[in-house]
């Protein structure tokens, strides 16, 4: 399990720190079936930021997303794997920071494609990437590279009870 090595309460109103399990459990239960919009931010070679919506899912305690090899995010990640991914979960705004690396091993590709299929996107494995009859325009044409986020830091701000704001740091 990818558990935080440290936690810091960022709430200025006296709320207790939020448990990582709150964010993790929502990610596990709501992706890929809920209508969640994830945004990945990467760094261009000249240092400018780039952001794009992605279809991300939480599988086996990790966040995965796709991108065509010609997309700006894939080209950025090939040079610099640093990225952040943000999402508004039910009752919790979440930002995940870390490094995203391409996944090419067939067992992980098959596992993640199966979870995407269970969520309604008919993904299949083709070589060392994913393909499907359709996807979001921001993913570029198939086949799509699969990326796994190695989590360094996460920030959560709760908009529902129990309220709070917390930073979680992870070993990497």
């Amino acid at each position: 399990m990818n558990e935080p090595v440290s936690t810091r309460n960022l709430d200025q109103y006296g709320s207790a720190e939020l448990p990582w399990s709150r964010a993790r459990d929502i990610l596990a239960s709501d992706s890929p079936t809920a209508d969640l919009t994830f945004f990945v931010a990467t760094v261009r070679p000249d240092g400018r930021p780039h952001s794009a919506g992605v279809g991300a899912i939480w599988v086996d305690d990790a966040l995965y997303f796709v991108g065509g090899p010609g997309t700006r995010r894939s080209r950025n990640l090939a040079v610099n794997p640093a990225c952040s991914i943000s999402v508004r979960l039910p009752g919790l705004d979440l930002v995940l920071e870390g490094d995203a690396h391409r996944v090419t091993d067939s067992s992980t590709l098959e596992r993640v494609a199966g979870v995407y299929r269970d969520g309604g996107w008919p993904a299949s494995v083709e070589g060392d990437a994913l393909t499907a009859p359709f996807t979001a325009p921001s993913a570029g044409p198939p086949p799509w590279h699969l990326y796994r986020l190695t989590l360094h830091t996460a920030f959560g701000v709760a908009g529902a009870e129990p309220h709070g704001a917390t930073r979680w740091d992870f070993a990497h």
Side-chain angles (χ1 to χ4, degrees), residues 1 9 27 34-35 51 73 78 87 91 102 116 138:
M1 297 272 292
N9 190 342
L27 285 167
D35 186 19
S51 240
R73 73 173 158 271
V87 61
R102 186 166 173 221
Y116 272 124
S138 67

Side-chain angles (χ1 to χ4, degrees), residues 118-131:
D118 291 345
W121 184 48
S124 61
V125 176
E126 184 177 290
D128 63 359
L130 299 181
T131 190

Side-chain angles (χ1 to χ4, degrees), residues 4 36 51 58 66-68 73 85 89 151 156 159 168:
L36 300 176
S51 240
W58 189 262
V66 298
R73 73 173 158 271
I85 299 175
L89 301 172
L151 198 51
W168 302 280

Side-chain angles (χ1 to χ4, degrees), residues 43-163:
V43 182
R44 296 174 196 259
D46 66 3
R48 292 180 303 128
H50 174 265
S51 240
V54 296
I57 58 173
W58 189 262
V59 179
D60 299 334
D61 216 26
L63 192 77
Y64 293 87
F65 62 95
V66 298
T71 60
R72 171 50 54 199
R73 73 173 158 271
S74 291
R75 294 190 329 256
N76 290 348
L77 291 170
V79 175
N80 180 352
C83 66
S84 66
I85 299 175
S86 57
V87 61
R88 175 170 235 172
L89 301 172
L92 184 67
D93 294 339
L94 185 64
V95 176
L96 307 168
E97 298 178 342
D99 293 328
H101 295 280
R102 186 166 173 221
V103 175
T104 58
D105 71 275
S106 60
S107 62
T108 303
L109 287 165
E110 291 290 350
R111 170 83 173 113
V112 173
V115 174
Y116 272 124
R117 284 191 301 274
D118 291 345
W121 184 48
S124 61
V125 176
E126 184 177 290
D128 63 359
L130 299 181
T131 190
F134 63 87
T135 192
S138 67
W144 301 287
H145 293 168
L146 180 67
Y147 295 93
R148 180 183 195 270
L149 179 69
T150 299
L151 198 51
H152 296 183
T153 306
F155 298 89
V157 178
E161 290 289 341
H163 292 284

